[in-house]
Amino acid sequence: MKAICFNFEIHQPFRLKHYRFFDIGKDHYYFDDFLNDDIVTRVAHNSYIPACESLLRMIEESKGRFRASIAVSGVAMEQFEHYVPEFVDLLKKLADTKCVEFVAQPFSYGLSSLADPEEFANQVANTCSILRSRFGVEPKVLRNTELIYFDDLAPQLVEMGFKAVLTEGAKHILGWKSPNYIYSAASSPKLKLLLRNAKISDDIAFRFGDTSWSEFPLTADKYIDWIASTPAEEQIINVYLNMETFGDLHPATTGIFQFLEALPRFAAERGIEFVTPSQAISKIKAVGPLSVVHPISSADEERDTSAWLGNRLQNEAFEKLYSVAERVRECDNRSLKRDFQYLQSSDHFFYMNTKRPSAFSPYETPFAAFTNYMNVLADFLMRVEEEFPTQVDNEELNSLLLTIRNQDAEIEALNKELASMRKNIEQYNIEHKKNTKG
């Protein structure tokens, strides 16, 4: 039986306020709370809430046969809890149906997987912790930022306990192969790869409301027919979409929600089922390994990382930010750690993109985005210096960090020794009481 695997991405960054050169060293709060409140609240009410209500109806009306997955960033969850807590409640309802799988991703929706494996692991662990505490789920599938994936990442993901990763069905990687199969990671066969079908996904994401498109209007029966007409041996069609596709990028007046809700009925008529990523890898065997030597993503025609790291501005900002990653991890300053996470969001680097203008950028030009970010970063780096002064050279810093780690290890060892001694004392007291009674 052919199956559709839906994944809906939900992310909103903490956008930066206008931060001048003269603010450096004086103002340590970098974020535009008014703008973030306005955007998050608007998108939630126009898109996220009605879309999730549609998913709930689809699950109910199909008696649980409709299934999907959702990826939500940690920075988005923090804002939802602050600005639109009713949306968090709605996500909890979806989790409770057991028909929606929540997949993990980096907390900041950042690019740490390209620069710092330890930071990447921490970011993913933070998101998993949120999903565990809010929804009672333990993610076993990962969707990296913008579907970024490469061979070197696979062994780390397996070590972190993941069984599958969602990524892009990039043509330059697949060649003659189809994205409509499950593959195994060439560098770690235990990890399964679920590849986005770019055409089927983009027919909704970009072409649904395009009146100049030859297939306009796109109806649910036509869409399901396209999927049903794929070769019989191709068992899975992965449709990965940003959730704001529904109601924000394509307003409700276009009929996008009616289109979504009609899909299960037409799929049932054609013998097509819906599966979560975990169900997919349990039901469908991988057809073989797939190697991805260089990082791929879902962005642009190139399907690479140039949307965020394609020019000197982006790379300078990126390198300076991650140059202090080790220092930030070792400090105890909570606000510094928080700001480091927020500053990692890939959106900040995307706004510096000179390949094409971003409709979502709050800046007039990529250079304005770079200037504002670097002003913020300059102040942030000054704060990091207060924790670990720059006059400490790398050798001294490494020695200092090693000492800190050794101290932690010694404390842990002493705690274990103390626990053992307490256990021995308790055992002695029990035996002593027995001897006394005897």
Side-chain angles (χ1 to χ4, degrees):
M1 179 179 283
K2 197 178 294 291
I4 301 172
C5 183
F6 266 117
N7 178 261
F8 300 99
E9 167 64 43
I10 302 174
H11 166 64
Q12 291 292 333
F14 279 93
R15 294 165 181 84
L16 301 176
K17 67 183 180 183
H18 178 59
Y19 195 90
R20 304 171 304 163
F21 174 80
F22 302 103
D23 295 324
I24 298 172
K26 299 177 182 177
D27 183 359
H28 302 320
Y29 190 77
Y30 311 132
F31 308 100
D32 191 332
D33 292 337
F34 178 81
L35 181 63
N36 289 322
D37 183 358
D38 179 63
I39 292 177
V40 170
T41 303
R42 175 180 56 79
V43 176
H45 286 286
N46 287 346
S47 173
Y48 299 152
I49 290 175
C52 285
E53 288 174 342
S54 287
L55 296 182
L56 280 171
R57 283 192 292 271
M58 293 161 73
I59 292 168
E60 182 180 350
E61 291 172 5
S62 69
K63 294 181 171 55
R65 289 189 296 274
F66 176 77
R67 293 173 179 268
S69 63
I70 290 176
V72 55
S73 69
V75 289
M77 278 293 295
E78 285 196 0
Q79 293 182 84
F80 295 145
E81 291 179 335
H82 189 65
Y83 300 127
V84 277
E86 64 270 28
F87 178 55
V88 179
D89 295 337
L90 193 54
L91 290 174
K92 179 65 165 62
K93 288 182 180 179
L94 285 171
D96 290 342
T97 66
K98 308 300 182 184
C99 294
V100 174
E101 178 177 7
F102 282 81
V103 303
Q105 62 181 359
F107 175 89
S108 67
Y109 202 71
L111 306 170
S112 55
S113 62
L114 301 173
D116 191 325
E118 185 175 350
E119 181 62 26
F120 174 71
N122 289 342
Q123 291 262 329
V124 173
N126 286 346
T127 303
C128 289
S129 177
I130 291 173
L131 295 176
R132 193 181 305 116
S133 64
R134 306 302 191 276
F135 308 138
V137 298
E138 191 66 50
K140 293 299 179 183
V141 177
L142 179 114
R143 172 175 174 152
N144 196 10
T145 304
E146 297 292 335
L147 299 177
I148 291 172
Y149 173 77
F150 50 100
D151 284 344
D152 290 347
L153 192 61
Q156 182 181 7
L157 294 180
V158 171
E159 187 179 346
M160 292 165 65
F162 291 103
K163 299 183 182 299
V165 62
L166 312 184
T167 187
E168 178 66 26
K171 290 181 180 178
H172 69 279
I173 296 298
L174 285 170
W176 56 268
K177 298 176 182 177
S178 168
N180 302 335
Y181 295 97
I182 291 178
Y183 295 88
S184 58
S187 55
S188 192
K190 288 184 178 180
L191 186 74
K192 301 302 181 283
L193 309 181
L194 282 77
L195 310 181
R196 186 181 85 110
N197 185 310
K199 181 190 179 302
I200 292 294
S201 299
D202 291 347
D203 282 341
I204 299 176
F206 298 120
R207 292 182 279 274
F208 182 85
D210 183 2
T211 56
S212 65
W213 183 33
S214 61
E215 296 293 346
F216 182 86
L218 179 61
T219 58
D221 57 337
K222 182 192 296 186
Y223 190 75
I224 293 297
D225 282 346
W226 290 345
I227 293 175
S229 65
T230 56
E233 63 273 15
E234 297 184 359
Q235 294 180 283
I236 186 164
I237 310 294
N238 297 306
V239 183
Y240 304 159
L241 301 164
N242 290 327
M243 188 167 275
E244 58 259 40
T245 298
F246 302 90
D248 192 44
L249 301 181
H250 299 293
T253 53
T254 64
I256 189 78
F257 291 111
Q258 290 85 345
F259 165 83
L260 178 64
E261 292 188 36
L263 291 175
R265 177 165 63 88
F266 289 106
E269 291 176 1
R270 300 303 299 268
I272 297 173
E273 64 177 335
F274 294 89
V275 295
T276 65
S278 289
Q279 287 178 320
I281 62 173
S282 67
K283 290 183 175 184
I284 305 171
K285 290 185 178 181
V287 295
L290 186 68
S291 180
V292 183
V293 177
H294 302 291
I296 59 173
S297 79
S298 60
D300 302 334
E301 289 296 323
E302 296 88 349
R303 304 297 194 215
D304 59 14
T305 59
S306 60
W308 309 277
L309 299 173
N311 64 43
R312 291 183 180 180
L313 305 179
Q314 294 167 314
N315 280 283
E316 181 180 350
F318 185 75
E319 289 167 8
K320 284 188 179 295
L321 176 66
Y322 282 98
S323 70
V324 297
E326 184 73 15
R327 297 172 185 239
V328 174
R329 278 196 293 271
E330 296 299 337
C331 79
D332 295 322
N333 188 321
R334 292 181 64 182
S335 65
L336 203 64
K337 288 178 177 289
R338 175 205 64 194
D339 291 348
F340 182 57
Q341 288 190 320
Y342 293 176
L343 290 174
Q344 290 183 60
S345 293
S346 60
D347 310 73
H348 303 309
F349 302 95
F350 186 70
Y351 300 150
M352 304 175 200
N353 181 4
T354 52
K355 292 199 304 180
R356 60 182 176 86
S358 169
F360 305 103
S361 176
Y363 304 97
E364 293 183 0
T365 68
F367 305 100
F370 173 74
T371 300
N372 200 67
Y373 186 85
M374 294 305 284
N375 284 343
V376 168
L377 192 57
D379 184 82
F380 176 77
L381 294 177
M382 288 176 61
R383 292 165 58 203
V384 174
E385 289 178 11
E386 294 179 2
E387 301 289 334
F388 295 106
T390 53
Q391 60 262 31
V392 178
D393 61 28
N394 287 335
E395 186 174 342
E396 290 176 308
L397 175 63
N398 290 334
S399 176
L400 178 60
L401 296 178
L402 181 61
T403 299
I404 293 172
R405 290 196 186 96
N406 287 341
Q407 286 176 345
D408 290 339
E410 288 175 10
I411 291 171
E412 184 179 356
L414 288 171
N415 284 334
K416 287 182 179 178
E417 185 178 344
L418 179 61
S420 178
M421 291 174 63
R422 284 175 176 168
K423 188 175 181 180
N424 290 337
I425 292 172
E426 290 174 359
Q427 185 64 32
Y428 171 80
N429 288 336
I430 292 172
E431 293 177 358
H432 181 69
K433 286 181 181 178
K434 287 181 178 179
N435 293 334
T436 302
K437 289 181 179 179

